[in-house]
Amino acid sequence: MRVLAPVDDSDCSFRALSFAAGFAQRYGGTLHVVHIARTDGKTAQAVLDRARDQLDGEGVSADPEVVTDLEVSTPRYGTQIGEDILTLVEQREYDHVVMGHHGGGGVGRLVLGSAARTVVESAAIPVTVIP
């Protein structure tokens, strides 16, 4: 089983990463951690460093990566990031997605953030959303 855990710099993203690490271990899967960004800059590197530290602390072997080769638009908002995650799922043939959600403001996002909503509504594979 190939488990995708997209991360950003939010705490909910890292709660989801912790769940994804345990999930992959429990079911004998491989964990793939990605951060979608326009460039591999300082912010992206900080997210990867935090992910590596967390995974090391949990005894999980995974090499987080920054994905910059998608058609990244400016600015990067949730719906587009959700579509980018779906593209990765299809291109890399993942079996499961585990992601956090922001669930921010707006009536349309009362339960899920827009990236999580996009993935949940359109993915052809199981998606686990962690608050």
Side-chain angles (χ1 to χ4, degrees):
M1 174 186 309
R2 294 170 44 85
V3 179
L4 173 63
V7 294
D8 59 20
D9 62 350
S10 68
D11 289 339
C12 64
S13 171
F14 282 86
R15 284 191 299 275
L17 177 58
S18 181
F19 179 90
F23 180 85
Q25 284 182 318
R26 198 169 21 256
Y27 294 103
T30 56
L31 179 62
H32 302 263
V33 182
V34 300
H35 174 66
I36 298 171
R38 281 192 302 166
T39 62
D40 190 4
K42 289 181 182 178
T43 301
Q45 193 58 50
V47 171
L48 294 186
D49 290 345
R50 182 177 175 191
R52 280 187 194 99
D53 289 347
Q54 181 168 327
L55 292 170
D56 287 347
E58 295 183 20
V60 175
S61 175
D63 191 19
E65 68 173 303
V66 175
V67 175
T68 59
D69 59 348
L70 299 171
E71 291 185 30
V72 177
S73 61
T74 304
R76 304 297 296 156
Y77 292 115
T79 301
Q80 179 61 45
I81 291 173
E83 291 171 6
D84 291 343
I85 292 166
L86 291 168
T87 297
L88 280 177
V89 165
E90 184 176 318
Q91 288 176 350
R92 298 181 179 185
E93 300 179 349
Y94 291 111
D95 301 302
H96 198 108
V97 177
V98 177
M99 62 188 299
H101 75 86
H102 298 281
V107 174
R109 296 186 299 157
L110 285 175
V111 177
L112 297 177
S114 56
R117 177 178 298 279
T118 299
V119 175
V120 166
E121 290 177 349
S122 299
I125 62 171
V127 178
T128 301
V129 179
I130 305 297

